[in-house]
Amino acid sequence: MVQTAPDLTVRPVETAADLDAFLDLPAKVYAHDPNWVPPIRSSIAKQLAPDYIFRTYGTLQALIAIQNGDVVGRIVAAVNQRLVEREGEAIGLFGYFECMPEEAIAQALFRAAEDWLRQQGMTRVRGPINLSTHNDCLFLVDGFDTPPQVMMPYNPAYYPEFIERDGWEKAKDAYAYEFFPEQLAAGFEKGYRVALKSGVTFRPIRTKGEGFKEDCVGLYHLFNKAFTNNWSSTPRTLEEFLDDAKELQSLVDPDVFPIAEYNGEMVGFFMGFPDYNIPLKHVNGRLNWLGILKFLWYRRQIDQGRVIAICSLPEYRRKMVPLGLGYLGMAGGFKKGKPYKKAELSWVYEDNMPSRKLIEATGGQIYKTYRIYEKHLG
C-alpha cells in the first residue's frame, strides 16, 4: 500500500470487490463523454486473470487509487519477458490506466507503478501498453471530437497533459487516417491488374469451419514474417493468435478481408473490419443476453469500417500485391449494397514510411494522433 496523501492511497487489487471496482471505474471517468465506448468487462477481466496466457511469460500488478473511500484511479504495471528479451533491456510496461480529472491521482498511480517495476529490476517504463501491443495501447493526443473505431483507444484530453507534466517523454507517435470512397486513386486498380498478370490470385478470407482455421494459420505465419521487427512488438504463439482470431470470427466481413496468394501460398492480406464500436456503444460493456440483443439490433447502424493492416511479403511488392489488396479491400467495402461510407486506416507509426506512403496514395488523411510514452527509472 502506498500512502500518497492523507486522503489518497494506492494499493494492489486483491479481492473480487477490488476487481469489480477496477472494472467499474471507466464508467465514472467517462460518464459525461458522448464519444466513449465501454470496453467489454469480461475481456479485461480475462486479461488480468491468473490463468491468462500472459502469465506464462510475464507478470503484472493491478493497482487502484482510493480517495475518501472511493476508487478514483487504476493502473497495471507489467513485465513482458518477451519484450525484455527482444530489446535486450529491462523495459517494463504500464497500461489499463484510467483516473478522475485530478493530477495528484495520476501522479500517485505512476509512482506506484514505477516503484513496483523497480522492484522487478526494470530500468525503463513504456506505455500505455496493455501487456503487449496486441492488446490496447497508446494515448489519444489529438482528435477527441469523434468516437474511436473498433479496437482503437480513447481517453480524456487530460491524460497526455498529466503524463507529460509528470516527466514522461514521447517514445513514438502513431496516426489514424480517414478515407472516403471517392478518394481511391486509379493506380490501385491498375496495380490489381498487374498483380493478376504476374500470377497473383486473390480471394476473400474463409469464415467458417476448417477453412477459417487454415486461413488463420496462414495469417499467423505471414504476420510473423512481415511484422516481426515492429517496434515494441512481441511474438505470439499460434495458440494465442488462434484464440484472438476465434473471438473475432463472427465479426469478419469477407468483402473487406481479401487474401493474396501465389502458387497456393498466402503472400499478403488486407485486414478490414466493420466498426463494431457503433453497436458496442449501446451494450454498456456486458455481452449478456440483453447486451447481445442490443448488439444485434444496433449493428444495423454500422456505416464505416477500419482497415487494421495491409500486408505483403517484400518480394511480392513488385508484383503490386499491396496495391491489388488495397483496391480489392476498398472496392469490396464501397460496392453497391455495402453500408460503409468511410474507412479509418489505423494505426500506423510515424516512422513507418512505406505504409504511410501507401495510405496517403489512396487519399487518406491523418485525423487522429496517438502516443506511447517512456520514462527512465532512476
Side-chain angles (χ1 to χ4, degrees):
M1 180 179 293
V2 178
Q3 187 79 36
T4 60
D7 63 343
L8 181 60
T9 301
V10 178
R11 64 173 178 80
V13 171
E14 296 176 330
T15 67
D18 289 343
L19 180 59
D20 280 341
F22 182 100
L23 298 173
D24 288 341
L25 179 64
K28 295 196 293 186
V29 173
Y30 299 94
H32 304 293
D33 191 330
N35 290 326
W36 179 61
V37 179
I40 302 301
R41 285 173 58 96
S42 58
S43 294
I44 304 301
K46 175 183 175 181
Q47 292 165 16
L48 300 180
D51 60 351
Y52 187 52
I53 196 166
F54 172 81
R55 304 286 189 139
T56 63
Y57 56 87
T59 183
L60 65 86
Q61 179 62 68
L63 300 157
I64 49 176
I66 301 171
Q67 189 174 49
N68 298 323
D70 293 326
V71 173
V72 292
R74 74 181 201 186
I75 197 169
V76 172
V79 176
N80 183 330
Q81 197 58 40
R82 292 176 179 175
L83 179 64
V84 172
E85 292 170 359
R86 181 192 159 180
E87 300 209 1
E89 184 179 355
I91 300 175
L93 304 173
F94 85 85
Y96 303 93
F97 177 85
E98 303 285 3
C99 81
M100 301 300 286
E102 183 178 326
E103 192 164 356
I105 299 170
Q107 291 175 344
L109 289 165
F110 292 140
R111 290 298 84 71
E114 292 164 21
D115 289 346
W116 185 86
L117 289 168
R118 285 191 192 93
Q119 293 170 13
Q120 313 308 309
M122 298 298 102
T123 57
R124 189 200 301 236
V125 59
R126 181 181 294 166
I129 297 174
N130 292 4
L131 309 183
S132 81
T133 54
H134 304 299
N135 296 326
D136 284 349
C137 58
L138 305 161
F139 272 161
L140 179 66
V141 297
D142 182 65
F144 295 93
D145 54 333
T146 56
Q149 285 231 15
V150 63
M151 294 183 286
M152 286 297 286
Y154 180 79
N155 53 264
Y158 59 84
Y159 282 11
E161 295 174 3
F162 285 176
I163 196 170
E164 288 172 15
R165 286 201 291 265
D166 195 55
W168 295 68
E169 297 181 347
K170 166 188 163 180
K172 198 180 290 284
D173 278 357
Y175 301 125
Y177 287 80
E178 192 173 38
F179 175 87
F180 295 90
E182 62 273 12
Q183 294 173 321
L184 188 61
F188 279 75
E189 183 174 4
K190 183 179 179 180
Y192 167 65
R193 304 298 175 192
V194 170
L196 290 177
K197 290 179 181 179
S198 300
V200 179
T201 58
F202 298 90
R203 63 171 177 84
I205 188 173
R206 294 173 288 181
T207 59
K208 296 181 180 179
E210 283 301 308
F212 177 75
K213 183 176 180 180
E214 290 172 7
D215 280 353
C216 286
V217 171
L219 290 170
Y220 169 75
H221 291 300
L222 196 54
F223 259 104
N224 282 350
K225 291 177 184 177
F227 300 124
T228 186
N229 294 319
N230 273 16
W231 179 77
S232 204
S233 182
T234 53
R236 283 181 286 183
T237 64
L238 179 59
E239 178 188 0
E240 289 175 284
F241 188 89
L242 292 178
D243 186 54
D244 290 342
K246 187 175 180 180
E247 290 190 1
L248 298 172
Q249 182 174 0
S250 63
L251 307 180
V252 174
D253 180 348
D255 286 327
V256 293
F257 206 135
I259 287 171
E261 295 179 325
Y262 190 77
N263 291 334
E265 176 190 358
M266 190 182 297
V267 298
F269 62 85
F270 178 105
M271 182 182 290
F273 276 92
D275 182 15
Y276 284 106
N277 267 8
I278 291 174
L280 285 175
K281 186 176 178 65
H282 301 276
V283 170
N284 199 29
R286 299 177 186 272
L287 281 178
N288 50 24
W289 68 269
L290 180 59
I292 292 172
L293 288 176
K294 288 182 178 180
F295 179 87
L296 294 174
W297 176 263
Y298 286 104
R299 72 185 297 175
R300 300 179 302 174
Q301 296 182 359
I302 294 175
D303 60 356
Q304 58 188 18
R306 178 183 166 214
V307 180
I308 297 175
I310 304 175
C311 172
S312 169
L313 292 177
E315 58 268 35
Y316 292 94
R317 290 171 186 162
R318 289 189 177 183
K319 296 182 184 294
M320 299 298 172
V321 166
L323 293 183
L325 288 165
Y327 168 73
L328 283 178
M330 292 298 186
F334 296 129
K335 70 182 182 181
K336 186 177 181 180
K338 284 291 178 181
Y340 311 114
K341 297 176 182 177
K342 68 175 183 177
E344 176 179 297
L345 296 87
S346 62
W347 38 271
V348 184
Y349 283 130
E350 60 184 334
D351 55 357
N352 184 355
M353 296 312 299
S355 293
R356 289 187 59 191
K357 288 178 180 178
L358 177 65
I359 293 170
E360 288 165 12
T362 70
Q365 296 185 339
I366 294 171
Y367 84 122
K368 291 181 183 287
T369 302
Y370 303 85
R371 185 165 296 160
I372 288 178
Y373 292 87
E374 281 188 343
K375 189 176 189 180
H376 288 278
L377 299 176

